[in-house]
Amino acid sequence: MSNPNQFNSPQNPSGPGQVPPFDASQYQYPSYQGTDSQQASGYQYRQYGQPYQAPAGAASYGYAQPAPLPGEEATAPTQRKKRSLATTILTILAVLALVIYAVVGGSYDFGTERLTWTAAASGIGLIVAIGCLVSIPRSFRELRRAKAVGDIATSRMRVRALFFTIIILPISGYFSATLGVPAAQDLVEGHHTVTVTSCTYEQGSHRRSRRRGGGRTVYDNYFTMTLTDGTAHTTTIETDQRTSIQTMGGTYEVLYQACNVQSGNASMTLDVYEHSWIIVDARLN
């Protein structure tokens, strides 16, 4: 009978032609480093008998998160910058329209210059109104999206943008409609000659405030003229002094003579832009 330990026992070494027994303790397992592309991906391969090391970026409870696509991280900040820039541009245009009409346009009481600056300010106001109309639905969409993902910063920015556009839209729209449309018609048609049959003069005043506090009183001189067709139009001239209108020459003098000195009985001929009612020249008949 054969000995069952003949291949394992030191007393029975393997003989010629026999396969030696396998000794696992003496075997060295080769390490696997992976292919070049696998090594470039950042994954680490362990040798047998060594603990597994998770790849860089992998969550402790799941798989590694995929890296963002090129330019993906910069998309949101870029969009926010574009929206902020659009809001800034609309604000600048709105302020510019007010400055042109109040300061530059206010420097001319008569003539084509006043019409031109009025049309320019109205055109800018129209651009602002259109920009507000375009931005309101977009701001609402961005606000809903930001609230859905919990983006507080974007939500606040969108609320401020909506507040701005809702306030500016009716102002710019009204300004463009009431002043811009007549100015555009007059630029196309030019001025006309009309006859004034009667005219009255009144003077009022109001307080104009200053940015640094305080204020000053300015005087409003109202010239109300009735034309041959029965329509009445009023031209308002603002002066710093109560008696300034009495010493001003040119068209101011003609209006004051016809409407006040001659008790409104004098007849005048006016060259005027009828839709905007901007006087170009005045002559006593």
Side-chain angles (χ1 to χ4, degrees):
M1 182 180 294
S2 64
N3 186 354
N5 296 323
Q6 61 179 344
F7 297 107
N8 298 327
S9 173
Q11 291 78 13
N12 296 288
S14 58
Q18 295 178 341
V19 178
F22 176 76
D23 189 353
S25 63
Q26 301 299 323
Y27 183 78
Q28 298 294 327
Y29 293 94
S31 61
Y32 177 63
Q33 301 297 330
T35 63
D36 293 340
S37 60
Q38 290 172 336
Q39 291 179 12
S41 65
Y43 284 89
Q44 299 177 358
Y45 294 86
R46 63 185 177 90
Q47 295 182 354
Y48 293 100
Q50 295 182 352
Y52 173 76
Q53 296 180 359
S60 60
Y61 52 85
Y63 297 100
Q65 299 298 323
L69 296 175
E72 188 178 34
E73 294 178 345
T75 301
T78 301
Q79 290 178 349
R80 284 195 293 267
K81 289 180 180 179
K82 288 182 179 180
R83 298 186 196 101
S84 178
L85 179 61
T87 303
T88 302
I89 292 175
L90 287 178
T91 304
I92 293 174
L93 290 177
V95 174
L96 181 61
L98 294 175
V99 169
I100 289 177
Y101 181 74
V103 179
V104 181
S107 301
Y108 302 95
D109 292 317
F110 310 113
T112 305
E113 293 86 357
R114 181 176 177 84
L115 176 66
T116 302
W117 286 113
T118 300
S122 301
I124 296 174
L126 179 61
I127 295 174
V128 173
I130 294 174
C132 290
L133 285 174
V134 173
S135 65
I136 285 178
R138 180 178 300 175
S139 295
F140 270 117
R141 289 195 300 268
E142 293 295 332
L143 179 60
R144 289 195 298 266
R145 187 179 297 112
K147 286 184 175 181
V149 299
D151 189 345
I152 298 177
T154 302
S155 297
R156 291 177 178 175
M157 183 179 67
R158 290 297 94 198
V159 169
R160 288 194 296 268
L162 283 171
F163 177 79
F164 167 79
T165 52
I166 290 174
I167 294 296
I168 295 298
L169 176 60
I171 297 176
S172 58
Y174 176 80
F175 181 84
S176 300
T178 56
L179 297 178
V181 173
Q185 291 177 302
D186 286 329
L187 286 174
V188 174
E189 298 177 8
H191 60 78
H192 301 274
T193 301
V194 297
T195 301
V196 177
T197 57
S198 63
C199 180
T200 60
Y201 168 77
E202 294 181 356
Q203 188 179 73
S205 64
H206 67 273
R207 191 76 174 172
R208 173 171 290 179
S209 60
R210 296 177 179 176
R211 291 185 299 175
R212 297 182 178 179
R216 61 188 179 91
T217 301
V218 295
Y219 298 89
D220 302 305
N221 301 274
Y222 302 101
F223 299 92
T224 303
M225 292 157 278
T226 302
L227 306 184
T228 54
D229 60 2
T231 61
H233 301 273
T234 299
T235 296
T236 303
I237 308 298
E238 185 181 288
T239 58
D240 294 330
Q241 303 296 327
R242 185 185 297 274
T243 59
S244 295
I245 193 67
Q246 302 173 17
T247 60
M248 300 171 70
T251 303
Y252 301 98
E253 182 180 5
V254 173
L255 292 178
Y256 188 76
Q257 287 288 331
C259 300
N260 187 50
V261 175
Q262 300 187 22
S263 301
N265 295 323
S267 176
M268 286 188 299
T269 298
L270 301 179
D271 295 328
V272 63
Y273 291 104
E274 291 186 290
H275 299 286
S276 304
W277 195 253
I278 296 176
I279 297 174
V280 178
D281 189 26
R283 301 174 296 276
L284 287 171
N285 294 334

